[in-house]
């Protein structure tokens, strides 16, 4: 529940009412694979240093904020998360830290990378010890779609390259169409909430909604009776609510 109370210039403090119920939705950040998705082979017997990647396309423009990969217990050493164009331009790179022994790992880029709708990119990670996770023939189909993200299929996905990283993974796993269990963290920026220009509200560049005191105190509004409603918003609103 959110509770509010008012104070006047004589420091008379209103007694808070019972509050207003509200629902906090999960983060709107989207990934290709769910946290419960797991590989068929957790550890592939290959000790070579290798960059493993996945081709993906977003149906809507947005930001890639990080890279994920599924890790088996023998996939130790240093891991890099990389984002590429399909012609080999490295858009961002980051080193994984505080990894767990196995399971999904995530690293966030220092600066999110904006990607265009309908354009194919490659997300990859580099392991210097190999022993990576795989699922054979995963992309022998139309691909895997989750929300606005699609890992492309038709047997032309699952890319890799051997050597020190970061290294552009330009070899396609054509024979086995392998899924190397690489993922992205995507934030949709094509449907940012917009405030009515006549409302007196303001949406800042980072998505913070601010409401000036004049908008709340107009017509001697009783703070206990305040309510908020968002209309015309197709994406979940996330974050915290505070009163100053």
């Amino acid at each position: 529940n959110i509770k509010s109370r008012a104070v006047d210039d004589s420091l008379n403090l209103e007694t808070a009412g019972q509050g207003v119920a509200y629902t906090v939705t999960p983060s709107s950040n989207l990934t290709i694979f769910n946290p419960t998705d797991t590989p068929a082979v957790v550890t592939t017997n290959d000790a070579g240093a290798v960059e493993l990647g996945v081709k993906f396309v977003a149906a809507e423009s947005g930001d890639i904020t990080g890279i994920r990969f599924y890790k088996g217990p023998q996939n130790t050493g240093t891991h890099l998360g990389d984002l590429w164009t399909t012609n080999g331009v490295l858009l961002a790179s980051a080193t994984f830290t505080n990894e767990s022994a196995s399971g999904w790992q995530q690293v966030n880029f220092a600066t999110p990378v904006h990607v265009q709708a309908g354009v194919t990119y490659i997300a990859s990670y580099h392991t210097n010890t190999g022993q990576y996770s795989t699922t054979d023939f995963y992309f022998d189909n139309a691909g895997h779609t989750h929300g606005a993200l699609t890992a492309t299929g038709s047997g032309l996905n699952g890319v890799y390259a051997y050597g020190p990283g970061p290294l552009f993974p330009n070899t396609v796993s054509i024979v086995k169409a392998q899924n190397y269990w690489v993922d992205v963290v995507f934030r949709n920026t094509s449907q940012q909430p917009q405030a009515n220009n006549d409302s007196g509200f303001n949406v800042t560049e980072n998505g913070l909604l601010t409401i000036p005191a004049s908008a709340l105190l107009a017509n001697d509004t009783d703070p206990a009776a305040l309510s908020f409603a968002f209309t015309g918003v197709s994406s979940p609103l996330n974050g915290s609510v505070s009163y100053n």
Side-chain angles (χ1 to χ4, degrees):
N1 288 328
I2 294 179
K3 297 183 179 182
S4 66
R5 60 184 179 183
V7 60
D8 63 17
D9 55 5
S10 298
L11 299 183
N12 294 310
L13 193 63
E14 179 190 26
T15 300
Q18 63 181 0
V20 178
Y22 69 99
T23 300
V24 177
T25 62
S27 171
S28 61
N29 286 342
L30 180 67
T31 57
I32 300 171
F33 305 108
N34 291 317
T36 55
D37 291 337
T38 56
V41 178
V42 174
T43 301
T44 299
N45 186 19
D46 181 354
V50 63
E51 186 102 17
L52 304 160
V54 61
K55 296 179 182 179
F56 73 95
V57 61
E60 299 171 323
S61 297
D63 293 337
I64 301 299
T65 62
I67 300 290
R68 301 168 68 231
F69 79 98
Y70 194 92
K71 173 186 177 181
Q74 297 182 47
N75 188 355
T76 57
T78 301
H79 300 109
L80 302 175
D82 302 313
L83 181 67
W84 311 81
T85 66
T86 53
N87 60 357
V89 176
L90 181 61
L91 300 175
S93 183
T95 301
F96 286 84
T97 59
N98 301 318
E99 295 183 18
S100 60
S102 62
W104 283 104
Q105 315 296 317
Q106 179 175 327
V107 65
N108 297 321
F109 294 136
T111 302
V113 178
H114 190 71
V115 294
Q116 297 294 330
V119 176
T120 302
Y121 298 86
I122 296 176
S124 65
Y125 83 97
H126 186 274
T127 169
N128 58 2
T129 60
Q131 312 299 334
Y132 45 88
S133 300
T134 59
T135 298
D136 290 349
F137 311 113
Y138 191 95
F139 293 116
D140 268 349
N141 48 41
H144 177 86
T145 297
H146 184 205
L149 295 176
T150 296
T152 59
S154 301
L156 299 176
N157 209 339
V159 290
Y160 64 92
Y162 284 92
L167 179 65
F168 179 54
N170 57 356
T171 302
V172 181
S173 175
I174 296 178
V175 176
K176 292 187 175 182
Q178 287 182 315
N179 183 1
Y180 298 116
W181 295 95
V182 191
D183 203 347
V184 294
V185 183
F186 173 78
R187 181 177 63 202
N188 187 346
T189 60
S190 66
Q191 299 179 11
Q192 293 293 334
Q194 299 294 324
N196 187 324
N197 290 335
D198 297 328
S199 66
F201 297 176
N202 178 54
V203 179
T204 64
E205 185 176 5
N206 63 359
L208 177 66
L209 176 67
T210 60
I211 305 173
S214 58
L216 299 183
L217 300 179
N219 301 319
D220 297 321
T221 301
D222 179 3
L226 289 176
S227 64
F228 299 89
F230 296 92
T231 60
V233 178
S234 58
S235 297
L237 295 175
N238 305 284
S240 60
V241 177
S242 62
Y243 294 90
N244 295 319

